[in-house]
Amino acid sequence: MTTPYEMYQQLIARVEAFGEAVRERYAAQLTCHAGCDHCCYQDFTVFPVEAHHLAQAVAALPPNERQRLQQRLQQADHALPMADTPQPCALLHEGRCSVYDGRPLICRIQGFPLFSAMIEHPDGSQRDCCPLNFSTMALPDIESAAIYNLDLVNQTLAAIHHLYIQATGEPDARVDLRQAVRDALAHLSIQAAASDEADAPL
């Protein structure tokens, strides 16, 4: 029987495969690349199932990278944020995501052309895209098969979320991404302390 977390992993695989197909079809129109972090200065929240996936990615980091991540979080917590100044994602390091392969779904879709009933342009269109992409091509001219249906992705994710909280008993609430990273690091610290205590001589 497929678990809710496995369903989430399958959704990620489908989203990634769709993105690769779009990239192949419109390679000349997509400028997204490593180091382009324009969409990494937003306050994102994630579902618990996404936080769980993120925690797996954080746990897979080498110890020195986890330590650097912890230091960046501590520095950000003590820094005085400037009004109306977007803050970088906790996972952003020198323009790159520290856990790129484990990033949430919203990060995987950012930049690509998408459709949503919640998008309301003055001309009535409901497509959007990063302004750095498709700069020489009008959004209406993009093939429908190359447009992410954001509503469908969100509905599928929400359904998986409900199955996940039913299975785990976790709170039915979204989590700030920064807090999700803190929780993952704290859990790893507790595990390490417990392991050291178990290994200590009697």
Side-chain angles (χ1 to χ4, degrees):
M1 181 177 178
T2 305
T3 68
Y5 179 53
E6 289 171 337
M7 293 178 187
Y8 175 72
Q9 292 175 302
Q10 291 169 0
L11 177 59
I12 285 179
R14 293 199 298 273
V15 166
E16 284 291 295
F18 188 91
E20 283 303 312
V22 176
R23 191 179 296 278
E24 289 181 10
R25 174 67 180 82
Y26 293 104
Q29 295 292 336
L30 289 168
T31 63
C32 298
H33 60 276
C36 180
D37 59 4
H38 291 74
C39 56
C40 302
Y41 285 76
Q42 302 180 51
D43 292 325
F44 290 135
T45 60
V46 295
F47 282 125
V49 65
E50 296 181 279
H52 176 71
H53 187 69
L54 189 62
Q56 308 306 306
V58 171
L61 289 173
N64 62 322
E65 291 189 25
R66 289 203 302 269
Q67 185 176 13
R68 282 200 297 266
L69 179 57
Q70 181 74 64
Q71 292 171 345
R72 290 200 302 275
L73 280 170
Q74 292 173 344
Q75 291 171 356
D77 289 341
H78 290 91
L80 294 175
M82 298 178 65
D84 300 324
T85 301
Q87 299 301 307
C89 173
L91 296 168
L92 189 64
H93 179 58
E94 297 181 351
R96 296 169 181 259
C97 179
S98 300
V99 293
Y100 189 77
D101 289 338
R103 68 198 188 285
L105 276 173
I106 190 171
C107 304
R108 297 170 188 272
I109 296 176
Q110 285 287 319
F112 284 96
L114 54 85
F115 161 87
S116 173
M118 298 179 65
I119 298 172
E120 297 181 358
H121 290 299
D123 62 358
S125 64
Q126 295 181 304
R127 290 184 174 186
D128 207 352
C129 184
C130 172
L132 299 179
N133 292 330
F134 291 89
S135 59
T136 61
M137 184 176 185
L139 290 181
D141 294 337
I142 304 174
E143 296 176 8
S144 296
I147 304 287
Y148 272 111
N149 186 324
L150 186 59
D151 297 337
L152 180 59
V153 173
N154 285 338
Q155 290 165 9
T156 305
L157 176 58
I160 293 173
H161 157 70
H162 286 299
L163 292 173
Y164 181 81
I165 61 172
Q166 288 174 0
T168 63
E170 292 189 32
D172 185 3
R174 296 183 70 91
V175 183
D176 176 79
L177 191 146
R178 189 179 297 273
Q179 186 59 49
V181 176
R182 284 197 196 95
D183 292 344
L185 289 169
H187 180 69
L188 289 170
S189 295
I190 292 173
Q191 284 186 322
S195 177
D196 289 343
E197 184 176 341
D199 294 338
L202 298 178

